[in-house]
Amino acid sequence: EIFPKIKTDIISEHTERDFVSLPRPTISKLALELKKYAKGEEISDFWLEAKSYYSQDGKTADMLGIALDGIFYNNEKPNITSAKKLYKSPLKLSTTRIKSFEECPFKHFVKYGLRAKERKEFIIEPSEMGIVLHGTVEEVVRDLKKSPEQIFDITKEQMDKMVDEYFESSTAKNLREYDIENSRNRFLLKRLKNVAKKISYSSVEHLRAGEFELLAQEARFDDDSQIPPIILQIGDTEVKLVGTIDRIDVLKDGEKSYIKVIDYKTANKTFSLSDAYNNLDIQLMVYMSAVLNSKKLVKNEKYPAGVFYFPITETIVEESTRDREKLSELIREKIKMDGLVIDEEIILKGLDKNFSSDGKGASKIYNSGVKNKITKEQFDMLLEHIHSNIEKSLGKIMSGEILAKPVIINGKKDDTGCKYCRYGSICRFEEELGDSYRPVYDYKNDDIFEKLMIDRAKGEKGE
């Protein structure tokens, strides 16, 4: 022992008076005891007398008030009564906004109600890099649409030259001059241009591989557009879902047109059927719904073929080989489109002529596993469910719900609505203070379709 003669006391044997010292620590202890009392627990009369004593002096009364405010603080955020004034009819919103509400109603309120903005820093944000890349690929595809024969004739060298031109114009359009001149940023932009070249040529390879043709680029669904907005009536408020679809491809077969919707993503985004079911990833499905409802863009019978995310991001391959052909193959594997495809022969072959629909092979342009294939009936049921969920979310928005109640998936604290939220300092979400998450679960595909079948059966019975 280092201090063999030292005496120790057990704190539980102390009396209440032993906690009384200077006002601040004493009042902190007093506040904790009063919280127990408020919950119905018994406390010593000493602490009730202490409360009376400290309440008589102005200075200590203020200290006690502050301490009690902290102890009894709750993070409840009652519905705002002015929601209809804040979100005036007709209300236009995007799927991104609905996702924000589903992730956390308070985040939606701060971003779209209060319109809070972060202080701008003089750096190139990843999102700005994404806009440059996104813009470059869009211009390349637009050029290809003007001259469809290029899709089959253009060489890699010609494509690189085209990308050089469009990348420079996209950079000048979307970035500030002093950002472009920065040495570090010049290096990042050089790498980004190489990514744009790989992605652009991959777009050509995808089109060459199948029978689908480019139909529209940056197709807006909104008022006065070829594709009208999706209109919903929430109480006495008219709500219009609007947005911009990065790319629409079509496969014509007689009087029927098969529609493929593509959204470019500058992050490693994969499609989650469970997230779509939970109203957390509805973008692609809503885009398809808008196209199917359009009478101007495609006049004959429209049929969904598939919805896909196309990753346009830097691809890193962990491989020691120097074989260029093998590396190219690995890179193509990384940038496959991911989403849902209707499991029908004409569609599968239309997407990839070399794809074996007997399940023995895999497509080289999109993820073609079992989880990516669904029937037309399943697709329709999912779309019905998403529309129903959207109406529920909009009803909550218009009722003024602003709860700080972030979603949590499968109870995992690293998979919540707080993960990428920048408003934590405003909402002050703390489980220790009684705040709670909204739990949702990551369902398997079969479980989702079973639930959808049950919901449809109930609807048909009028339940």
Side-chain angles (χ1 to χ4, degrees), residues 90-94 222-223 229-232 238-242:
L91 173 64
K92 286 188 177 183
L93 45 75
S94 65
D222 200 344
D223 295 326
I230 297 173
I231 301 176
L232 302 167
E238 183 180 82
V239 180
K240 296 180 179 182
L241 284 180
V242 299

Side-chain angles (χ1 to χ4, degrees), residues 7 27 35 41 44 47 57 76 101 146 263 316 324 334 361:
K7 293 182 179 180
I27 288 174
K35 186 173 185 177
E41 299 180 26
S44 169
W47 293 113
D57 181 82
E76 291 182 8
F101 181 82
K146 290 177 183 177
D263 188 70
I316 298 174
R324 287 184 175 274
K334 288 274 188 178

Side-chain angles (χ1 to χ4, degrees), residues 98-99 102 275-282 386 389-390 393:
I98 293 172
K99 179 185 177 183
E102 289 295 322
D275 282 351
Y277 179 82
N278 288 321
N279 224 28
L280 294 169
D281 188 4
I282 59 174
I386 288 172
N389 275 348
I390 289 172
S393 296

Side-chain angles (χ1 to χ4, degrees), residues 11-262:
I11 193 72
S12 60
E13 295 178 356
H14 288 183
T15 65
E16 289 83 358
R17 296 182 182 278
D18 293 326
F19 290 97
V20 177
S21 57
L22 296 173
R24 191 174 299 278
T26 306
I27 288 174
S28 295
K29 174 63 178 174
L30 170 60
L32 290 171
E33 293 297 318
L34 292 176
K35 186 173 185 177
K36 294 179 185 177
Y37 185 69
K39 290 181 178 179
E41 299 180 26
E42 290 188 7
I43 64 171
S44 169
D45 290 341
F46 173 83
W47 293 113
L48 298 177
E49 293 173 4
K51 177 183 179 298
S52 177
Y53 172 78
Y54 284 116
S55 298
Q56 294 174 11
D57 181 82
K59 186 176 181 180
T60 55
D62 289 343
M63 292 170 62
L64 179 60
I66 293 170
L68 291 176
D69 285 344
I71 289 295
F72 290 101
Y73 170 79
N74 70 68
N75 204 18
E76 291 182 8
K77 294 174 173 58
N79 288 10
I80 54 174
T81 57
S82 56
K84 290 184 179 180
K85 292 181 180 179
L86 194 61
Y87 312 123
K88 293 181 180 179
S89 181
L91 173 64
K92 286 188 177 183
L93 45 75
S94 65
T95 56
T96 302
R97 183 165 171 179
I98 293 172
K99 179 185 177 183
S100 175
F101 181 82
E102 289 295 322
E103 288 178 338
C104 178
F106 189 71
K107 176 166 74 172
H108 170 270
F109 170 65
V110 173
K111 185 172 183 178
Y112 297 102
L114 300 181
R115 298 177 180 85
K117 296 185 183 297
E118 292 184 279
R119 182 180 297 168
K120 182 62 182 175
E121 296 183 19
F122 293 106
I123 58 173
I124 299 182
E125 297 283 353
S127 60
E128 293 176 308
M129 290 286 197
I131 291 171
V132 171
L133 186 55
H134 200 282
T136 303
V137 176
E138 284 180 346
E139 289 298 328
V140 168
V141 175
R142 182 180 288 109
D143 200 316
L144 294 173
K145 188 176 186 300
K146 290 177 183 177
S147 305
E149 66 278 0
Q150 290 186 92
I151 293 171
F152 299 96
D153 298 336
I154 195 167
T155 64
K156 181 69 168 62
E157 291 70 25
Q158 291 171 326
M159 174 62 75
D160 288 350
K161 187 176 180 180
M162 186 189 297
V163 170
D164 283 335
E165 178 185 345
Y166 289 131
F167 188 86
E168 294 305 319
S169 61
S170 181
T171 301
K173 178 182 176 181
N174 295 296
L175 298 180
R176 297 165 294 270
E177 186 177 349
Y178 50 79
D179 281 336
I180 299 173
E181 293 174 352
N182 179 282
S183 298
R184 175 181 178 274
N185 291 341
R186 283 204 302 271
F187 170 73
L188 293 175
L189 289 169
K190 183 178 179 181
R191 288 175 57 181
L192 199 66
K193 184 189 289 187
N194 290 332
V195 174
K197 291 176 179 179
K198 291 174 185 175
I199 298 300
S200 296
Y201 199 68
S202 291
S203 296
V204 170
E205 289 181 321
H206 288 187
L207 290 166
R208 287 175 179 173
E211 300 290 344
F212 278 81
E213 299 175 355
L214 285 169
L215 176 64
Q217 176 80 3
E218 282 192 284
R220 182 79 181 161
F221 59 102
D222 200 344
D223 295 326
D224 302 321
S225 298
Q226 279 192 305
I227 308 173
I230 297 173
I231 301 176
L232 302 167
Q233 193 66 36
I234 308 299
D236 57 358
T237 302
E238 183 180 82
V239 180
K240 296 180 179 182
L241 284 180
V242 299
T244 302
I245 305 169
D246 287 335
R247 200 174 105 200
I248 305 170
D249 294 349
V250 64
L251 172 63
K252 294 180 180 179
D253 181 46
E255 293 300 313
K256 185 180 287 187
S257 290
Y258 293 92
I259 304 298
K260 176 175 68 173
V261 167
I262 295 173

Side-chain angles (χ1 to χ4, degrees), residues 126-127 129-131 133-134 264-269 310-313:
S127 60
M129 290 286 197
I131 291 171
L133 186 55
H134 200 282
Y264 301 132
K265 286 297 178 189
T266 53
N268 291 319
K269 173 71 176 175
F310 186 171
I312 52 172
T313 183

Side-chain angles (χ1 to χ4, degrees), residues 270-331:
T270 56
F271 182 82
S272 166
L273 185 64
S274 183
D275 282 351
Y277 179 82
N278 288 321
N279 224 28
L280 294 169
D281 188 4
I282 59 174
Q283 182 180 24
L284 290 174
M285 296 297 292
V286 170
Y287 285 3
M288 177 61 81
S289 179
V291 177
L292 295 177
N293 290 331
S294 171
K295 295 179 180 179
K296 293 182 180 179
L297 184 69
V298 180
K299 293 182 172 59
N300 57 353
E301 183 185 357
K302 294 175 286 294
Y303 194 94
V307 292
F308 300 96
Y309 287 126
F310 186 171
I312 52 172
T313 183
E314 186 169 23
T315 306
I316 298 174
V317 176
E318 295 182 4
E319 181 63 45
S320 58
T321 182
R322 294 188 178 184
D323 186 329
R324 287 184 175 274
E325 186 58 36
K326 184 176 181 180
L327 286 172
S328 296
E329 188 67 29
L330 290 170
I331 289 172

